[in-house]
Amino acid sequence: HQLIAEFLGTALMIVFGVGVHCCEVLNTSKYQNSGHIFAITTWGFGITISLFIFGDVSINPAMVVAQAVLGNIPWAQVIPISIAEVFGGIFGSVVVFIAYYDQFKASEEIDRIKIRNIFSTNPNVRNLPRNFFVEFIDTFIFITAILAICTVKTPGIVPIAVGLLVWAIGMGMGGPTGFAMNLARDMGPRIAHALLPIPGGKADNDWQYGILVPGIAPFLGAACAALFARYFLG
């Protein structure tokens, strides 16, 4: 049940997130060129809705690692849950591609990197050490804040507060790398982009960046956040 919930929760998050990028980028979309506030707000609200529906889910392998570091789940569960989340990211991306297929067909002249970036994150300035640092610190703030938020026992406050947290990090620190903070958020759609028959062709998937920056950096940020939460925040 937990694996299915992680799969579906991640898929729904991606339906909102990749969907809003389709909406903002593709020709014949009703809301083309709506801007970053439109996109970041949808990500935040979408995560809130996913948490309301599926409850006690991580929908993020970085959070799964943080929970293991804190001793809340066995380490043996980290890989199965993370795989379920990545597959959820793939499935959600496929759903969005089907929904926006006519818009993809109408957008064959749009730069292929912009099309790839609908699915996965990408730095405006490619500097891998600095990009890695940004994703590390974004995830550290993100996971630390969620662990603090979860100590508040008011019913319904956690999904709303996490959505606002995503909104704030995106507005403040999303500019350099697109603030993935989540292997499943980036790798799932990145894999989907590689597999889907996108009209007009595809740009290179940039696996080097995908594995190093939105892949590895969030795990380190989450582990450090868990240690900070335990030994400093108590």
Side-chain angles (χ1 to χ4, degrees):
H1 184 275
Q2 185 69 28
L3 292 176
I4 294 171
E6 295 286 356
F7 173 87
L8 293 175
T10 307
L12 182 59
M13 172 182 69
I14 294 301
V15 165
F16 284 115
V18 172
V20 75
H21 292 313
C22 288
C23 212
E24 202 273 330
V25 171
L26 297 177
N27 293 335
T28 73
S29 165
K30 285 180 175 291
Y31 309 118
Q32 190 179 26
N33 300 318
S34 297
H36 72 285
I37 295 177
F38 178 79
I40 292 169
T41 303
T42 304
W43 271 106
F45 287 173
I47 289 171
T48 291
I49 296 303
S50 189
L51 293 176
F52 267 124
I53 294 173
F54 295 104
D56 189 18
V57 290
S58 296
I59 58 175
N60 184 343
M63 176 56 82
V64 178
V65 167
Q67 295 293 341
V69 171
L70 291 169
N72 295 334
I73 64 170
W75 279 100
Q77 292 185 11
V78 170
I79 291 177
I81 293 175
S82 298
I83 290 173
E85 291 165 348
V86 172
F87 274 100
I90 296 170
F91 180 73
S93 300
V94 172
V95 170
V96 172
F97 178 72
I98 294 170
Y100 278 90
Y101 186 78
D102 291 334
Q103 282 69 42
F104 277 103
K105 281 285 291 182
S107 304
E108 294 186 22
E109 80 284 0
I110 291 179
D111 179 71
R112 295 295 94 184
I113 291 178
K114 288 187 69 175
I115 297 298
R116 183 192 69 198
N117 292 348
I118 288 173
F119 294 89
S120 54
T121 60
N122 182 64
N124 275 359
V125 178
R126 188 184 180 89
N127 181 319
L128 291 180
R130 187 168 290 116
N131 301 152
F132 188 96
F133 171 78
V134 169
E135 283 295 321
F136 169 86
I137 201 67
D138 284 0
T139 309
F140 177 84
I141 295 168
F142 183 55
I143 300 298
T144 300
I146 291 175
L147 295 174
I149 289 166
C150 287
T151 65
V152 180
K153 301 307 179 185
T154 305
I157 197 66
V158 171
I160 294 170
V162 171
L164 292 173
L165 171 64
V166 170
W167 194 86
I169 293 176
M171 297 299 288
M173 289 291 287
T177 60
F179 77 117
M181 307 184 296
N182 183 338
L183 172 72
R185 176 267 171 271
D186 186 273
M187 190 59 67
R190 195 179 292 267
I191 292 171
H193 172 266
L195 298 176
L196 288 168
I198 296 174
K202 294 180 274 191
D204 176 78
N205 243 49
D206 198 359
W207 296 110
Q208 180 192 40
Y209 179 85
I211 292 169
L212 180 65
V213 178
I216 296 174
F219 286 122
L220 296 179
C224 290
L227 295 173
F228 178 76
R230 166 166 286 177
Y231 296 110
F232 184 80
L233 300 180

